[in-house]
Amino acid sequence: MTHLDAPTPDVGGTDLVGALLDAAHHLAGLGLSPGASGNVSIRIGDEVLVSATGTRMADLARDGLSRIDLEGRLIEGARPTKEAPLHLGFYRRSPELRCVIHLHSPSAVALSCLPPHSELSAVPPITPYFVMRVGQTPLLPYAAPGSAELGRHVERLPFPFRAALLQNHGSVCAGETVAAARDSMIELEAAAEIILKLPVGGFRPLSDEQAREVAEAHGSYWGA
Ligand SMILES: [Zn+2]
């Protein structure tokens, strides 16, 4: 059993909650969570600590986390963000994932309003770094924020991925560590910003073969 007001060590002795709060503050400091948008979570065993409703990424603290189970039932703390189902979708489909971050970062939101690059990825493989740190990033069809449908979309997509754009809404990145999810989010926002600077239809991404080669070498996903 974890306690929200105490450091939460994992098997390696890392304070996972401390790392999560640091990541939230860092991403907010980069301007990636406008207003009170954005939420973060970590999985510990069969429980998830997720931002409570009404919290802000910039000053998220230990008492701003809710402890819930994988069905979204509250165990301890304040009511969880209404976007918790999105986080739980990742944890339910991929038990190795430990952290999920959801933002309304401006360039990713802009890209989420455009047609997707392909069925597998809203974002084309513009650089090897995007492919290795983020990988294919499907566009989830629009569903109202906080609806269980968003979580179901994540859970049921029949190909591997660790990041997604939510149509006309934002971005979500997951990782086996807090650092991986945080860095993936930063790289995804950078990729979206670059794409928006390129002429529509007039740029050259990596080929699917090049992207697959990078993904295989770095443990990310590209291709079905
Ligand atoms: Zn949102």
Side-chain angles (χ1 to χ4, degrees), residues 26-34 37-38 57 102-107 171 182 185-187 189-190 193:
H26 182 68
L27 293 166
L30 294 174
L32 302 188
S33 62
S37 66
M57 296 270 288
H102 164 57
L103 297 177
H104 301 171
S105 53
S107 294
S171 53
R182 177 201 63 200
M185 188 53 91
I186 292 169
E187 191 69 31
E189 178 66 7
E193 195 175 336

Side-chain angles (χ1 to χ4, degrees), residues 3-89:
H3 293 279
L4 295 177
D5 55 353
T8 309
D10 69 4
V11 286
T14 312
D15 176 8
L16 283 178
V17 173
L20 184 71
L21 300 179
D22 286 348
H25 303 160
H26 182 68
L27 293 166
L30 294 174
L32 302 188
S33 62
S37 66
N39 34 74
V40 295
S41 69
I42 46 174
R43 176 177 182 167
I44 301 172
D46 286 334
E47 298 177 357
V48 171
L49 298 181
V50 61
S51 320
T53 190
T55 54
R56 297 166 62 93
M57 296 270 288
D59 51 15
L60 188 64
R62 288 176 194 271
D63 64 2
L65 297 175
S66 311
R67 192 153 63 91
I68 60 176
D69 67 16
L70 291 173
E71 303 303 319
R73 292 181 288 249
L74 181 64
I75 300 170
E76 183 188 2
R79 194 157 52 91
T81 168
K82 67 178 183 301
E83 297 190 294
L86 178 65
H87 296 244
L88 295 175

Side-chain angles (χ1 to χ4, degrees), residues 95-108:
E96 75 278 13
L97 293 173
R98 286 291 169 271
C99 179
V100 176
I101 299 174
H102 164 57
L103 297 177
H104 301 171
S105 53
S107 294

